[in-house]
Amino acid sequence: MRIGVLTAGGDCPGLNAVIRSVVHRALTGHGDEVIGFEDGFKGLLEHRYRKLDLDSVSGILARGGTILGSARLERGRLDEACGHAEELSRELGLDALIPIGGEGTLTAARMLSDAGMPVVGVPKTIDNDISATDRTFGFDTAVGVATEALDRLKTTAESHQRVMVVEVMGRHAGWIALESGMAGGAHGILLPERPFQIDALCAMIEERFARGKKFAVVCVAEGAHPAEGTMRYEKGAIDQYGHERFTGIGNRLAAELEHRLGKEARPVILGHVQRGGTPTAYDRVLATRFGWHAVEAAHERQFGKMTALRGNDITLVPLAEATAALKTVPGHRMSEAESVY
Amino acid sequence: MRIGVLTAGGDCPGLNAVIRSVVHRALTGHGDEVIGFEDGFKGLLEHRYRKLDLDSVSGILARGGTILGSARLERGRLDEACGHAEELSRELGLDALIPIGGEGTLTAARMLSDAGMPVVGVPKTIDNDISATDRTFGFDTAVGVATEALDRLKTTAESHQRVMVVEVMGRHAGWIALESGMAGGAHGILLPERPFQIDALCAMIEERFARGKKFAVVCVAEGAHPAEGTMRYEKGAIDQYGHERFTGIGNRLAAELEHRLGKEARPVILGHVQRGGTPTAYDRVLATRFGWHAVEAAHERQFGKMTALRGNDITLVPLAEATAALKTVPGHRMSEAESVY
Amino acid sequence: MRIGVLTAGGDCPGLNAVIRSVVHRALTGHGDEVIGFEDGFKGLLEHRYRKLDLDSVSGILARGGTILGSARLERGRLDEACGHAEELSRELGLDALIPIGGEGTLTAARMLSDAGMPVVGVPKTIDNDISATDRTFGFDTAVGVATEALDRLKTTAESHQRVMVVEVMGRHAGWIALESGMAGGAHGILLPERPFQIDALCAMIEERFARGKKFAVVCVAEGAHPAEGTMRYEKGAIDQYGHERFTGIGNRLAAELEHRLGKEARPVILGHVQRGGTPTAYDRVLATRFGWHAVEAAHERQFGKMTALRGNDITLVPLAEATAALKTVPGHRMSEAESVY
Amino acid sequence: MRIGVLTAGGDCPGLNAVIRSVVHRALTGHGDEVIGFEDGFKGLLEHRYRKLDLDSVSGILARGGTILGSARLERGRLDEACGHAEELSRELGLDALIPIGGEGTLTAARMLSDAGMPVVGVPKTIDNDISATDRTFGFDTAVGVATEALDRLKTTAESHQRVMVVEVMGRHAGWIALESGMAGGAHGILLPERPFQIDALCAMIEERFARGKKFAVVCVAEGAHPAEGTMRYEKGAIDQYGHERFTGIGNRLAAELEHRLGKEARPVILGHVQRGGTPTAYDRVLATRFGWHAVEAAHERQFGKMTALRGNDITLVPLAEATAALKTVPGHRMSEAESVY
């Protein structure tokens, strides 16, 4: 078999582990040939690829980033590709394509699959918000990075007697905030899934200080927002060019808390630190298993599907299903985190 | 409610996170009282306990070990306790007891439960070998420690052109070896579940060297063993007092490989480094959830059960079921790891 | 001897290691008594202290923060204390006081010493800007945290083809930016010691992109500033209450680069993550040695001095000298960092 | 200028950082050409080298191992090379050679230099035992790895009520044991520099247990040895082939302590984990500075010297001086560590 692999979308720890696993399994398990397309779907359309042998994936298991590069593809070019998907596969001699990516990539994968390309997807998102799989690789690493930051901030917040607001990733789903907040012992955890009550948050913090505690740490997902009309800092600030700055919820919430509580409140915006670098062991194992099973799926001609974790097992689910609904934090998970202060 | 909590058996990262979570949920969620018994079941039998308030669990979330201490209990004393379990509960005013421990502890918990004590167990084992739950806390930390060691050894093995044999924990189940071996990119992974073929292992290593690779890393579970009669180093060495030393599989395998391959082979026995210290974020979350749900179970009078992870959810399973069978690595998981070199 | 110890000023990894070392050396080396004052000099003035025995410092070596607490003291109260320093020592039965702190603390220490209190100081600053000592504890930890962030950002910046601006601590001295920038392979390193040329920075970044590199990382000390009149974003933005926000150099520089280069540029403000949490081995050793030598100095009645590192040795320097001049990054150190891209 | 660089001897975190720095400084600072010899001096003698441009050192700053490979050279071939050192330089067009290595490498470097080759050495040893420099890169990383192991072992030792013996690297100098022992809070630290008293060690441990402590951790350098005739386990054990096994001091000391104290004592031999993998920020900075200054020295024609750290500055010292005497742990440093339990 001749198998193509590509990575698309943003960075995510574990991408290289998937690529390496695809190459290992295909070459040593099946005697396949593997080619890697450069810069995501762009490389596919432009026939830019290189052969991947064992040496080419040596030493990349623990490395962040992707050796294949990644780039966004305009919708127009994707549609065009779908128009001649079978021909493209034939020209490239592709028996299977394994695109690794997030929601957008998987949607593109589904479209190409529907158009006749033999595709097996591998889901990727540090946000952990794909419903068809229990977990995605990259998420554990992101939670680990955020937790370490919370660990460090807790001792320093105590010494300085202040409120720390830590903004973590999660635009539509609050998984990173939930799990890093629990693991790092945050006193408040604010998620996109449920508008937060600024009054209740302030009351909790004041109650802590009243109990003699000298600091509080709030972990807020970038997509969290207050119940409508309750927060004064609803907007950012305006710079000299008229651009709005300082608009993120972490910055605004710190300002709000300082304003309301009369205590120093400092924002820490972790940002892209969460999505780069060496993956955790958990993410490397999951990524490796996804790669292995993607190759097996190709050999079983299970096209139009993607790999997914269910309990301890890797299964295959239709790509259509995979991107149907966002997996958000359910209410019972929020409850678990509530009494943790 | 008056809830007792105790930790029994060996060290495991996450014990303190469970204790803290029990206290938080019981006190702030239900207004309960929580007491912590010292040194496991011993403290229970000897009425040695202390009240646990929010302050007493402050700052312990990320700390290794257990603030309550742990000790093994002789079988005789346990039987005795079972003889007056209801009375003991009454004397201590216990509405629920939450013992946190491994197989032995959960068996004791079941016996006390059968004898009339209101018990909700929390499973604990770094080996991840309890069938009733997808994962146990402590395991992720152990895998992380072993993986970091493998990462470091790979660069140094290359420079020194040698074979490294890394022995990790896992007497009866090879989960740590499997996952750290995959995450750390070991070239051979040897598990207790399947006797290994020393000839095949040597052939694989020689094939690597023939391909121009300058080193090989083998990850072996402490409980792994060769197919009968195939390894010359079947025994350890004898010290001046006649005690057998150097008996572990890591030591013997390194000697065997050196002997057979004519290349330097060095054992690294990670040992207790794997079971101490700060838990990973994953383990802290799982431990915290287990503690939370154990308190809920107590309030719902779901006694004789223990907490378990299934997919992304925490459920309750009967203690009897929990300790029925060891969860070993199934064949399909071993296959996933095979082509990874 | 009866020795008092206190910690003052901001958090710094290693404070607990000093306290522990003072207690160990004084008790087991000399049979002294040690008392710890709470909340810095406040506890001294208010006679709030507790006896520190071996148990009270057990397990704190690797812990961030300070078990004694810390607080700022108003100048007035310090002056008052200086007015009756000898009397205060007598009342408390103090044969020696070991204050651990930064420039402000050491200045206060000098004043109390001049007023007759038997003082041996221990310098503390994550900024590493005290001239009398080669290094201070806390600095290595801060550099380590910043370096890890840079490591992670480099892979992710590449995938996203953007410029990352990482702001690290260092108001008056750029040591953290210098060393983490070098260790993390930043392409630009901007220090408070020398106004930076925004044109030259842009040229360097453009040259990188012209060479086919897909990202650039700039490490900027919070106290760095552009050559006068060269940067358009000289001010922050104005929020709805008229407060200036978004004023830090990291935020403004990212805006400026985006504006000038026409490429996405993102700020990451590491903030207090750098000054909390577990100290590195280096910082623990240095802190432990400082504590040990402070006790020895007390026994040798070397009052009015503080501990300092010179090469590999710990020496004593007069407190007056210690706070005389800020240790800034010299030109030759900047040159070393310049060609590193 | 045409500058050659090579790495020789065992693995050491920071080697790649030196190579990268040499390339950066030479190319962007001076417009030089740099070639890298493969497998140490072997590559030099066999004219095996490759040109190193900026791309070839991209991404290696934080990577363990050496991209150039390393190998030991037989004395005979070195002598031969010295016989035509000038000719060799001429043939290769070498204006300067920068060998990076330990004592053996620096001795070879001195011999080649004496024979007319333009050499600037860079010292490398994780043992930190070269007298001419305050510190060597690799050492900080090794201490960090050993300290993390000690951190983890302390919580687990407590739970299991046992004595842990941790053997760290250091055949002739005990720097790693000293600093990791201090940083990790070991209760006993045993160094090659001073034969240890097994009776005194046992008394200390018994005193700890008598004080109610439940564990003890001993950090022993691989080169440490007991005062003559005091330890029963003077030899290892004999395996079935008559080879002595289990000979290391860590293994023997654990057996001895178990025998004498009647308590479980477990050895942990950290081994090569200490010398591989990602270097700490400290080591990356030092390695980068050494590389930078080696290039400067080449341009200043300061041949026959090597880079060295003195206080905060990098200086040059004659190669002859550099390898004259081993830097061992002085008595006053041992004293500092003594009261730390």
Side-chain angles (χ1 to χ4, degrees):
Chain A
M1 248 187 161
R2 183 169 154 105
I3 298 177
V5 60
L6 63 81
T7 52
D11 193 19
C12 182
L15 289 172
N16 282 327
V18 181
I19 297 168
R20 171 180 175 275
S21 179
V22 165
V23 171
H24 277 177
R25 180 61 187 164
L27 268 62
T28 70
H30 296 283
D32 296 336
E33 185 187 13
V34 178
I35 58 173
F37 293 103
E38 284 162 24
D39 302 324
F41 287 112
K42 269 193 188 163
L44 177 75
L45 302 195
E46 297 165 7
H47 293 220
R48 281 191 291 114
Y49 61 86
R50 59 179 190 269
K51 216 180 134 173
L52 297 178
D53 57 12
L54 293 180
D55 273 346
S56 64
V57 295
S58 177
I60 69 170
L61 172 56
R63 219 178 297 162
T66 158
I67 58 164
L68 295 176
S70 177
R72 312 232 172 235
L73 185 71
E74 307 86 72
R75 181 59 191 256
R77 294 196 64 191
L78 174 62
D79 288 340
E80 192 194 311
C82 287
H84 62 116
E86 288 188 46
E87 196 188 327
L88 190 59
S89 307
R90 219 168 24 244
E91 281 169 16
L92 290 161
L94 273 190
D95 298 305
L97 176 69
I98 301 178
I100 310 162
E103 215 200 332
T105 304
L106 296 173
T107 301
R110 186 176 51 73
M111 290 168 61
L112 285 167
S113 172
D114 290 349
M117 193 173 276
V119 174
V120 179
V122 171
K124 173 229 74 169
T125 152
I126 63 158
D127 290 336
N128 198 34
D129 58 2
I130 295 182
S131 2
T133 182
D134 280 1
R135 292 217 157 196
T136 44
F137 63 85
F139 172 62
D140 191 65
T141 304
V143 170
V145 169
T147 300
E148 201 196 313
L150 285 162
D151 281 352
R152 291 198 175 275
L153 286 168
K154 284 187 87 165
T155 72
T156 201
E158 186 161 27
S159 306
H160 291 265
Q161 310 200 16
R162 53 167 68 123
V163 179
M164 305 297 290
V165 174
V166 182
E167 184 189 299
V168 300
M169 284 194 163
R171 214 171 287 274
H172 305 295
W175 293 105
I176 295 176
L178 178 76
E179 299 227 338
S180 65
M182 286 178 85
H187 309 106
I189 299 177
L190 309 178
L191 311 182
E193 283 85 353
R194 182 192 286 172
F196 61 83
Q197 302 295 334
I198 186 78
D199 288 336
L201 182 66
C202 288
M204 183 276 285
I205 295 171
E206 277 174 336
E207 190 267 344
R208 258 187 73 80
F209 278 86
R211 270 199 292 136
K213 295 292 183 181
K214 291 177 175 163
F215 70 105
V217 174
V218 178
C219 183
V220 56
E222 59 181 332
H225 48 90
E228 210 179 325
T230 58
M231 207 164 105
R232 301 170 199 200
Y233 278 96
E234 287 188 337
K235 288 186 291 194
I238 305 296
D239 76 19
Q240 71 198 99
Y241 292 96
H243 298 302
E244 212 176 353
R245 299 276 173 191
F246 180 70
T247 55
I249 185 63
N251 282 316
R252 290 187 292 119
L253 181 58
E256 184 87 17
L257 291 175
E258 198 164 288
H259 186 85
R260 285 174 178 247
L261 298 169
K263 286 182 207 309
E264 217 179 344
R266 289 285 173 89
V268 173
I269 317 299
L270 286 180
H272 285 74
V273 175
Q274 295 161 86
R275 68 184 315 140
T278 298
T280 59
Y282 184 98
D283 282 339
R284 295 189 216 171
V285 170
L286 184 55
T288 298
R289 296 182 74 194
F290 274 0
W292 197 94
H293 282 273
V295 172
E296 292 310 287
H299 278 269
E300 293 160 9
R301 306 193 58 76
Q302 298 259 19
F303 299 121
K305 300 193 174 166
M306 72 163 205
T307 56
L309 177 72
R310 293 278 172 86
N312 284 326
D313 294 320
I314 307 295
T315 58
L316 293 171
V317 294
L319 280 164
E321 193 183 298
T323 55
L326 203 69
K327 182 177 66 180
T328 53
V329 178
H332 66 90
R333 289 300 304 271
M334 292 190 220
S335 304
E336 287 173 14
E338 256 159 30
S339 54
V340 180
Y341 68 102
Chain B
M1 250 188 161
R2 181 168 154 107
I3 297 178
V5 60
L6 63 83
T7 52
D11 195 17
C12 182
L15 289 172
N16 282 327
V18 182
I19 298 168
R20 171 180 174 275
S21 180
V22 165
V23 171
H24 278 177
R25 180 59 188 164
L27 268 63
T28 70
H30 295 284
D32 297 335
E33 183 186 13
V34 178
I35 58 174
F37 293 103
E38 283 162 25
D39 300 327
F41 287 112
K42 270 194 189 163
L44 177 76
L45 302 196
E46 299 166 6
H47 293 221
R48 282 190 290 115
Y49 62 85
R50 57 180 193 268
K51 217 179 133 173
L52 297 177
D53 57 12
L54 292 180
D55 273 346
S56 63
V57 295
S58 178
I60 69 169
L61 173 55
R63 218 178 297 163
T66 160
I67 59 164
L68 294 176
S70 176
R72 311 230 173 236
L73 186 70
E74 308 87 67
R75 181 58 192 258
R77 294 196 64 190
L78 174 63
D79 288 339
E80 194 195 309
C82 287
H84 62 117
E86 287 189 47
E87 196 188 326
L88 191 60
S89 307
R90 219 168 22 245
E91 280 169 17
L92 290 161
L94 274 191
D95 298 305
L97 176 70
I98 301 177
I100 311 162
E103 216 201 331
T105 304
L106 296 174
T107 301
R110 184 176 51 73
M111 289 167 63
L112 286 166
S113 172
D114 289 349
M117 194 173 276
V119 174
V120 179
V122 170
K124 171 228 78 167
T125 152
I126 64 159
D127 290 335
N128 198 34
D129 58 2
I130 295 182
S131 4
T133 181
D134 280 1
R135 292 217 158 198
T136 45
F137 62 85
F139 171 63
D140 191 64
T141 304
V143 170
V145 169
T147 300
E148 201 197 316
L150 285 162
D151 282 353
R152 291 198 174 274
L153 287 169
K154 283 187 88 165
T155 72
T156 200
E158 186 160 30
S159 306
H160 291 265
Q161 310 201 17
R162 55 166 66 124
V163 179
M164 304 298 288
V165 174
V166 182
E167 183 189 298
V168 301
M169 285 194 162
R171 215 172 285 276
H172 305 294
W175 293 106
I176 294 177
L178 177 77
E179 300 227 338
S180 65
M182 286 179 84
H187 309 105
I189 299 178
L190 308 179
L191 310 182
E193 285 84 353
R194 181 193 285 173
F196 61 83
Q197 302 295 334
I198 185 78
D199 287 336
L201 182 66
C202 287
M204 184 276 285
I205 294 171
E206 278 175 335
E207 189 268 344
R208 261 186 73 81
F209 278 87
R211 271 200 292 136
K213 295 293 185 179
K214 292 178 175 160
F215 70 104
V217 175
V218 177
C219 182
V220 55
E222 59 181 332
H225 49 91
E228 210 178 324
T230 58
M231 208 164 105
R232 299 169 201 201
Y233 279 96
E234 286 190 337
K235 288 186 289 194
I238 306 297
D239 74 19
Q240 70 198 98
Y241 291 99
H243 298 302
E244 214 176 353
R245 299 275 173 193
F246 179 68
T247 57
I249 185 64
N251 282 317
R252 290 188 293 120
L253 182 58
E256 184 87 18
L257 292 175
E258 199 163 286
H259 186 86
R260 285 174 177 246
L261 298 168
K263 287 181 206 309
E264 219 180 340
R266 289 285 173 87
V268 173
I269 317 299
L270 286 180
H272 286 75
V273 176
Q274 295 160 84
R275 66 184 316 141
T278 299
T280 58
Y282 184 98
D283 281 339
R284 295 190 215 170
V285 171
L286 183 55
T288 298
R289 296 181 73 194
F290 274 0
W292 197 94
H293 282 274
V295 172
E296 293 309 288
H299 277 269
E300 292 160 11
R301 307 193 57 75
Q302 298 260 20
F303 299 121
K305 298 192 176 166
M306 73 162 204
T307 56
L309 177 72
R310 294 277 172 87
N312 285 325
D313 294 320
I314 307 296
T315 59
L316 293 171
V317 293
L319 279 166
E321 192 184 298
T323 55
L326 202 70
K327 183 177 65 179
T328 53
V329 178
H332 66 89
R333 289 300 304 272
M334 291 189 219
S335 304
E336 288 173 15
E338 256 158 31
S339 56
V340 180
Y341 66 104
Chain C
M1 247 186 162
R2 182 170 155 106
I3 297 177
V5 60
L6 63 82
T7 52
D11 194 18
C12 182
L15 289 172
N16 281 327
V18 181
I19 297 169
R20 171 180 174 276
S21 179
V22 165
V23 170
H24 277 177
R25 180 61 188 163
L27 268 62
T28 68
H30 295 284
D32 296 336
E33 183 185 16
V34 178
I35 58 175
F37 293 102
E38 284 161 24
D39 301 325
F41 287 112
K42 270 193 187 163
L44 177 77
L45 301 197
E46 298 165 9
H47 292 221
R48 283 191 291 114
Y49 62 86
R50 57 179 192 270
K51 215 180 134 172
L52 297 177
D53 57 12
L54 292 180
D55 273 345
S56 63
V57 296
S58 177
I60 68 169
L61 172 55
R63 218 178 297 162
T66 158
I67 59 165
L68 294 177
S70 176
R72 311 231 172 237
L73 185 71
E74 306 87 70
R75 181 58 191 258
R77 294 196 63 192
L78 174 63
D79 287 341
E80 193 194 311
C82 288
H84 61 117
E86 288 189 45
E87 196 187 325
L88 190 59
S89 307
R90 218 167 25 243
E91 280 169 18
L92 290 161
L94 275 190
D95 297 305
L97 176 70
I98 301 177
I100 311 162
E103 215 200 331
T105 304
L106 296 173
T107 303
R110 186 177 50 73
M111 289 167 63
L112 285 166
S113 172
D114 290 349
M117 193 173 277
V119 174
V120 179
V122 170
K124 172 229 74 167
T125 152
I126 63 158
D127 290 335
N128 197 33
D129 59 0
I130 296 183
S131 3
T133 181
D134 280 0
R135 292 217 158 197
T136 45
F137 62 86
F139 171 63
D140 191 65
T141 304
V143 170
V145 170
T147 300
E148 201 197 314
L150 286 162
D151 281 353
R152 291 199 175 273
L153 287 168
K154 284 187 88 165
T155 74
T156 202
E158 186 161 28
S159 306
H160 292 264
Q161 308 200 18
R162 54 167 67 123
V163 179
M164 305 298 288
V165 174
V166 182
E167 183 188 299
V168 300
M169 286 194 161
R171 214 171 287 274
H172 305 295
W175 292 106
I176 294 176
L178 177 76
E179 300 227 337
S180 65
M182 285 178 85
H187 309 106
I189 299 177
L190 309 179
L191 311 182
E193 284 85 351
R194 181 194 286 172
F196 62 83
Q197 301 295 334
I198 186 77
D199 288 335
L201 182 66
C202 288
M204 184 276 286
I205 295 171
E206 279 175 334
E207 189 268 344
R208 259 187 73 80
F209 278 86
R211 270 199 293 136
K213 295 292 185 182
K214 292 177 174 162
F215 70 105
V217 175
V218 178
C219 182
V220 56
E222 61 183 328
H225 49 90
E228 211 178 325
T230 58
M231 207 163 107
R232 299 170 199 199
Y233 279 96
E234 284 189 339
K235 288 187 290 196
I238 305 296
D239 74 20
Q240 68 197 98
Y241 293 97
H243 297 302
E244 213 177 354
R245 298 276 173 191
F246 178 72
T247 55
I249 185 64
N251 282 316
R252 291 188 292 119
L253 181 59
E256 184 86 17
L257 291 175
E258 198 163 286
H259 186 86
R260 286 175 177 245
L261 298 168
K263 286 181 207 309
E264 218 179 341
R266 289 285 173 87
V268 173
I269 317 298
L270 286 180
H272 286 75
V273 176
Q274 294 161 86
R275 67 183 318 141
T278 299
T280 58
Y282 184 98
D283 281 339
R284 295 189 216 170
V285 171
L286 184 55
T288 298
R289 296 181 74 193
F290 275 180
W292 197 94
H293 282 274
V295 172
E296 293 309 288
H299 278 269
E300 292 161 11
R301 307 194 58 75
Q302 298 260 18
F303 299 121
K305 299 192 175 166
M306 73 163 203
T307 56
L309 177 72
R310 295 278 172 87
N312 285 324
D313 294 320
I314 308 295
T315 58
L316 294 171
V317 294
L319 280 165
E321 193 184 297
T323 56
L326 203 68
K327 182 177 65 178
T328 53
V329 177
H332 66 90
R333 288 300 303 270
M334 292 189 221
S335 305
E336 288 173 13
E338 255 158 33
S339 55
V340 180
Y341 67 103
Chain D
M1 248 186 162
R2 182 168 154 108
I3 298 178
V5 61
L6 64 83
T7 51
D11 194 18
C12 182
L15 289 172
N16 281 328
V18 181
I19 297 169
R20 172 181 174 273
S21 180
V22 165
V23 171
H24 278 177
R25 180 59 188 164
L27 268 62
T28 69
H30 296 284
D32 297 335
E33 184 187 13
V34 178
I35 58 174
F37 293 102
E38 285 163 22
D39 301 325
F41 287 112
K42 270 192 189 163
L44 177 76
L45 302 196
E46 299 165 7
H47 292 222
R48 283 191 291 114
Y49 61 86
R50 57 180 192 267
K51 217 180 133 173
L52 297 177
D53 58 12
L54 291 180
D55 273 345
S56 62
V57 296
S58 178
I60 68 169
L61 172 56
R63 218 178 297 164
T66 158
I67 58 165
L68 294 176
S70 176
R72 312 231 172 237
L73 186 70
E74 306 87 70
R75 181 58 192 257
R77 294 195 65 191
L78 174 63
D79 287 340
E80 192 195 312
C82 287
H84 62 116
E86 286 188 47
E87 196 187 326
L88 190 59
S89 307
R90 216 164 29 240
E91 280 168 16
L92 290 160
L94 275 190
D95 297 306
L97 176 70
I98 301 178
I100 311 161
E103 215 200 331
T105 304
L106 297 173
T107 302
R110 184 176 51 74
M111 289 167 63
L112 285 167
S113 172
D114 289 349
M117 194 174 275
V119 174
V120 179
V122 170
K124 172 229 76 167
T125 152
I126 63 159
D127 290 334
N128 198 34
D129 57 2
I130 295 182
S131 5
T133 180
D134 280 1
R135 292 217 157 197
T136 45
F137 63 86
F139 172 63
D140 191 65
T141 304
V143 170
V145 169
T147 299
E148 201 197 314
L150 285 162
D151 281 353
R152 291 198 175 273
L153 287 169
K154 284 187 87 167
T155 72
T156 201
E158 185 160 28
S159 305
H160 291 265
Q161 310 200 15
R162 56 167 65 123
V163 179
M164 304 297 289
V165 174
V166 183
E167 184 189 299
V168 300
M169 285 194 162
R171 215 172 287 275
H172 305 294
W175 292 105
I176 295 177
L178 178 77
E179 299 226 339
S180 65
M182 286 178 84
H187 309 106
I189 298 177
L190 309 179
L191 311 181
E193 284 84 352
R194 180 193 287 173
F196 61 84
Q197 302 294 335
I198 185 78
D199 289 335
L201 182 65
C202 287
M204 183 276 283
I205 294 171
E206 279 175 335
E207 190 268 342
R208 260 186 73 80
F209 278 87
R211 269 199 293 136
K213 294 293 183 180
K214 292 176 174 162
F215 69 105
V217 175
V218 178
C219 183
V220 54
E222 58 181 333
H225 49 90
E228 211 180 324
T230 57
M231 206 162 107
R232 300 168 199 201
Y233 278 95
E234 285 189 337
K235 289 187 289 195
I238 305 298
D239 74 19
Q240 68 198 101
Y241 292 97
H243 297 303
E244 214 177 353
R245 298 276 173 191
F246 179 69
T247 55
I249 185 63
N251 282 315
R252 290 187 292 120
L253 182 58
E256 184 88 17
L257 291 176
E258 199 163 286
H259 187 86
R260 285 175 178 245
L261 298 169
K263 287 181 207 308
E264 219 180 341
R266 290 283 175 89
V268 173
I269 317 298
L270 286 180
H272 286 73
V273 176
Q274 295 161 83
R275 67 185 314 140
T278 299
T280 59
Y282 184 97
D283 281 339
R284 296 189 215 169
V285 170
L286 183 55
T288 298
R289 297 181 73 194
F290 274 180
W292 197 94
H293 282 274
V295 172
E296 293 308 287
H299 278 269
E300 291 161 11
R301 307 193 57 75
Q302 298 260 20
F303 299 120
K305 299 193 176 167
M306 72 163 205
T307 57
L309 177 72
R310 294 277 171 86
N312 285 325
D313 294 320
I314 308 295
T315 58
L316 294 170
V317 294
L319 279 166
E321 193 183 299
T323 55
L326 203 70
K327 183 176 65 178
T328 54
V329 177
H332 66 90
R333 288 300 303 271
M334 292 189 219
S335 304
E336 288 173 14
E338 257 159 31
S339 56
V340 179
Y341 65 101

